[in-house]
Amino acid sequence: MRAFFDDINFLLRPDKRQKQIKRLAKESGWKYQARRHYDKDPIKSYQFQIFEGRSGKRLKAIQSFKARALQGAFRVYDFHYFGDLNTKTTTIFEYYNPDAVWPAFLIKPKSGLRFWKNLFGEENPVILTATPELNESYEVSTTDAFALKESLTEEFLDSLGDEGQWAVEAKESVLVYYIYGQQLPVNKLLERIETFVHLVHDLETGRPFLK
């Protein structure tokens, strides 16, 4: 019901944040879509943890673009989950590469939040990197620890370890990056997009991690 009223409100009242992001997309030469039902979007088929829940879900202020030297495509959007008590909004950074074959994995900040859980019913794989921050701040779960170690790179893990709060989920050809429950301010989007593009570049071009 909350999602239904939000749909009506979208038609009747202009959204300042969406206007700002639309202008940002235009200035950057990116594609823009104001709104999309989660159930009608391809991201639904990957069943990432961030999108779990039975209530209404919407993707808003969707920016789509490509980056030089990378094969895949990027999207950035606000994911709105309309629960019974309140609305939870998370800004999602998404990368799609049809040639990727990532095993399902979740690299998440160590936290007592009930939101976080081990999705795959197995112990976390041991991943040690040159950056101790990753081992101190993150937990890793996956469907296939060996395949994950083949897929990840030293540069990617070191860069993510410096982030501290950002989670990464991936499966098959899609990777998403976010802080659960955080809607990023518009004036911070470009900086974070650049960080995310560099992170993906580290994942696709870095040295394989096999420890």
Side-chain angles (χ1 to χ4, degrees):
M1 186 61 71
R2 292 172 62 88
F4 171 77
F5 284 116
D6 188 79
D7 290 340
I8 298 299
N9 191 56
F10 169 74
L11 297 174
L12 298 178
R13 298 181 184 178
D15 185 304
K16 180 179 178 181
R17 176 178 173 86
Q18 290 201 7
K19 284 185 175 180
Q20 292 174 332
I21 295 177
K22 183 178 182 179
R23 182 165 57 248
L24 173 64
K26 183 177 181 181
E27 292 171 352
S28 302
W30 300 338
K31 293 180 180 179
Y32 176 84
Q33 184 176 4
R35 190 180 186 89
R36 188 170 174 83
H37 286 232
Y38 170 79
D39 288 341
K40 297 179 181 178
D41 193 88
I43 195 65
K44 179 185 178 182
S45 64
Y46 294 92
Q47 299 181 331
F48 290 128
Q49 179 169 339
I50 184 61
F51 301 119
E52 285 189 342
R54 297 182 179 179
S55 296
K57 304 166 189 177
R58 300 291 185 269
L59 311 183
K60 295 184 182 182
I62 306 164
Q63 303 170 84
S64 305
F65 60 94
K66 299 198 72 171
R68 191 174 300 173
L70 292 171
Q71 295 297 318
F74 293 84
R75 292 198 305 174
V76 180
Y77 47 85
D78 290 334
F79 169 63
H80 295 257
Y81 177 73
F82 297 95
D84 294 333
L85 299 178
N86 53 37
T87 300
K88 182 74 70 176
T89 301
T90 303
T91 301
I92 306 289
F93 297 77
E94 174 193 303
Y95 178 67
Y96 169 73
N97 182 350
D99 296 328
V101 287
W102 294 306
F105 73 84
L106 168 62
I107 303 178
K108 60 184 175 65
K110 291 180 179 178
S111 171
L113 290 175
R114 288 183 297 171
F115 170 78
W116 297 118
K117 61 184 179 181
N118 189 322
L119 296 178
F120 311 115
E122 64 176 50
E123 294 182 359
N124 294 339
V126 177
I127 294 181
L128 300 175
T129 73
T131 302
E133 287 82 2
L134 185 133
N135 302 306
E136 294 171 0
S137 303
Y138 283 92
E139 298 177 2
V140 184
S141 57
T142 182
T143 54
D144 189 331
F146 183 77
L148 179 61
K149 291 176 183 180
E150 285 189 315
S151 300
L152 300 182
T153 67
E154 287 280 4
E155 291 84 354
F156 170 80
L157 292 168
D158 290 346
S159 295
L160 184 62
D162 294 335
E163 295 290 336
Q165 296 178 296
W166 290 79
V168 174
E169 291 189 67
K171 183 179 180 182
E172 299 171 3
S173 56
V174 175
L175 180 147
V176 292
Y177 169 80
Y178 58 88
I179 297 179
Y180 171 66
Q182 182 179 104
Q183 184 181 45
L184 210 64
V186 175
N187 63 357
K188 299 290 185 182
L189 281 175
L190 280 179
E191 178 182 359
R192 184 51 56 178
I193 287 171
E194 182 178 352
T195 298
F196 181 53
V197 170
H198 281 297
L199 189 67
V200 171
H201 184 270
D202 287 342
L203 177 62
E204 295 205 333
T205 65
R207 295 165 294 175
F209 177 83
L210 295 173
K211 296 180 183 179

